[in-house]
């Protein structure tokens, strides 16, 4: 009950504070630059200033919660115990076997997850648009997007669950294997293969996102183009790959890069299922280990800077592509 009251009080204070700020800001601006007859310059000035007054709180908050941590992380990565140490933390990082393992796994994630998610989403978009109950199929494929990464990890952990051979298998995968006469396996402990088992979860979640965007892009292709290709004797396969897909390259690029950014920051699935054991470590989980388990924020910040440098160019490219699509 106390928590509910506290939440309601927070909402009232937050919304009330915003309303009060906008009312007072408008009142002050109108008094400083009154919109009187014979003073048209006041109206022009207030029109230029007013958006900045409304944006000011958001800009300040972004500065405090995004820009400051960025500079603080850079400083932490270049120092130890408050003293500047140059590139010492980066040299340690390059020589650390766990970092190299994480980097290798992140590259695997980058190669397979965005590609598979986009491909599955593209095929699903085309197929669901072609069948009668496509809307229901789309809803089912999109549904995993509503689940948190940790929730999805728990679901799939049950699928990969392993019990000794003399016990009943409660994991779906091992139940299928044993029913076919095979031996149960501890799938999540098998090197390399276990990373792909984790990737499947991400593909399962992101395919719905890709499908929705690509389906909208496919519907935007003029019917005349497809009809002309069919009249020229093109098969459905050729129409799809040679007519439709080239016309939605921009959307495919946006979907691919968006999933790539998510993959670069992958943490929850690995943390909840293997915690980076058995060769499944990734950069974000390694950063968490050093920062909050080992208590070494300098090394944690060093790994965070590497993740940021990897994400930043893809994010800028993604935003530019999205702007081109809007134009």
């Amino acid at each position: 009950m106390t928590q509910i009251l506290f939440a309601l009080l927070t909402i009232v204070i937050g919304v009330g504070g915003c309303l009060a700020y906008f009312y007072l800001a408008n009142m002050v601006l109108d008094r400083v630059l009154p919109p009187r007859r014979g003073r048209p310059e006041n109206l022009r000035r207030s029109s230029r200033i007013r958006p900045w007054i409304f944006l000011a709180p958001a800009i300040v908050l972004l500065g405090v919660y995004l820009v400051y941590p960025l500079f603080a992380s850079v400083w932490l990565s270049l120092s130890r115990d408050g003293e500047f140490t140059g590139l010492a933390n980066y040299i340690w990082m390059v020589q650390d076997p766990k970092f190299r393992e994480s980097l290798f796994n992140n590259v695997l994630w980058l190669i397979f997850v965005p590609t598979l998610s986009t491909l599955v989403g593209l095929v699903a978009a085309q197929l669901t648009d072609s069948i009668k109950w496509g809307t229901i199929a789309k809803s089912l494929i999109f549904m995993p997007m509503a689940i948190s990464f940790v929730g999805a990890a728990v679901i799939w952990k049950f699928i990969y669950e392993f019990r000794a051979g003399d016990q009943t298998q409660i994991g779906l995968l091992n139940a299928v294997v044993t029913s076919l006469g095979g031996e149960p396996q501890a799938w999540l402990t098998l090197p390399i293969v276990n990373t792909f088992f984790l990737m499947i979860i991400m593909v399962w979640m992101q395919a719905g996102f890709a499908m929705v965007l690509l389906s909208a892009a496919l519907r935007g292709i003029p019917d005349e183009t497809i009809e002309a290709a069919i009249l020229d004797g093109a098969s459905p396969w050729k129409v799809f790959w040679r007519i439709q897909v080239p016309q939605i390259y921009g959307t495919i690029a946006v979907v691919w890069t968006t999933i790539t950014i998510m993959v670069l920051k992958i943490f929850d699935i690995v943390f909840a299922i293997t915690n980076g054991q058995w060769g499944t470590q990734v950069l974000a989980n390694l950063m968490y280990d050093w920062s909050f388990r080992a208590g070494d924020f300098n090394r944690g910040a060093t790994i965070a800077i590497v993740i940021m440098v990897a994400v930043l160019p893809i994010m800028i490219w993604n935003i530019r592509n999205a702007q081109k699509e809007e134009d």
Side-chain angles (χ1 to χ4, degrees):
M1 191 65 184
T2 308
Q3 291 180 335
I4 294 174
L5 289 174
F6 185 72
L8 289 173
L9 184 64
T10 304
I11 292 170
V12 170
I13 292 174
V15 175
C18 289
L19 290 174
Y21 173 78
F22 291 135
Y23 176 78
L24 291 173
N26 266 320
M27 189 176 71
V28 171
L29 185 62
D30 288 340
R31 288 195 177 183
V32 174
L33 296 171
R36 295 172 183 165
R37 286 186 177 179
R39 301 289 297 274
E41 68 274 12
N42 279 1
L43 192 58
R44 285 197 297 272
R45 287 175 185 166
S46 62
S47 299
R48 291 194 200 104
I49 294 171
R50 203 180 307 275
W52 289 105
I53 291 177
F54 293 156
L55 288 172
I59 292 171
V60 171
L61 286 174
L62 282 173
V64 171
Y65 287 103
L66 288 179
V67 179
Y68 170 72
L70 169 64
F71 287 105
S73 297
V74 171
W75 167 247
L76 283 171
S77 72
L78 297 172
S79 63
R80 178 157 291 278
D81 298 327
E83 294 184 5
F84 181 71
T85 56
L87 297 176
N89 288 321
Y90 290 92
I91 294 170
W92 159 82
M93 183 181 67
V94 174
Q95 295 173 344
D96 182 41
K98 270 298 190 185
F99 173 75
R100 292 200 292 271
E101 175 193 311
S102 306
L103 199 59
F104 175 73
N105 286 332
N106 268 77
V107 171
L108 285 181
W109 279 79
L110 281 175
I111 292 171
F112 290 101
V113 174
T115 307
L116 285 175
S117 301
T118 308
L119 186 62
V120 172
L122 181 62
V123 173
Q126 178 66 9
L127 293 178
T128 52
D129 283 341
S130 309
I131 60 176
K132 186 178 179 181
W133 302 101
T135 307
I136 296 174
K138 277 184 181 176
S139 302
L140 292 173
I141 296 170
F142 188 75
M143 204 173 287
M145 278 291 292
I147 305 172
S148 68
F149 283 115
V150 175
V154 171
I155 292 170
W156 282 84
K157 198 171 184 180
F158 280 116
I159 293 175
Y160 298 142
E161 182 67 28
F162 166 76
R163 296 290 170 91
D166 57 343
Q167 297 181 26
T168 304
Q169 297 299 324
I170 63 168
L172 178 62
L173 188 55
N174 273 322
V176 172
V177 169
T178 51
S179 68
L180 295 174
E183 289 294 322
Q185 299 287 334
W187 305 105
L188 296 175
T189 64
L190 302 177
I192 301 294
V193 179
N194 51 10
T195 297
F196 285 93
F197 280 122
L198 299 182
M199 289 182 200
I200 290 172
I201 303 170
M202 191 68 167
V203 173
W204 177 67
M205 296 186 73
Q206 295 304 318
F209 162 73
M211 178 197 66
V212 170
L213 291 189
L214 295 172
S215 175
L218 287 171
R219 286 171 182 267
I221 298 173
D223 292 336
E224 293 81 4
T225 309
I226 298 170
E227 288 169 2
I230 294 171
L231 287 174
D232 286 341
S235 64
W237 179 263
K238 284 185 178 177
V239 169
F240 179 63
W241 289 108
R242 297 189 180 181
I243 305 295
Q244 291 178 289
V245 171
Q247 294 195 47
I248 60 168
Y249 271 155
T251 308
I252 292 174
V254 170
V255 169
W256 190 87
T257 49
T258 303
I259 297 174
T260 298
I261 292 167
M262 290 183 192
V263 166
L264 276 168
K265 300 182 293 182
I266 187 66
F267 168 75
D268 316 59
I269 293 173
V270 176
F271 179 79
I273 293 191
T274 63
N275 197 18
Q277 299 179 87
W278 309 300
T280 60
Q281 188 64 286
V282 290
L283 290 174
N285 199 56
L286 185 66
M287 177 195 71
Y288 177 85
D289 280 349
W290 276 108
S291 299
F292 301 105
R293 286 194 173 127
D296 192 330
F297 286 96
N298 298 98
R299 290 181 172 177
T302 308
I303 300 166
I305 293 296
V306 171
I307 298 172
M308 188 197 71
V309 169
V311 169
L312 203 57
I314 300 172
M315 189 175 288
I316 293 170
W317 191 72
N318 192 17
I319 292 170
R320 286 184 176 175
N321 266 314
Q323 287 174 341
K324 284 180 186 174
E325 284 290 304
E326 288 178 2
D327 295 338

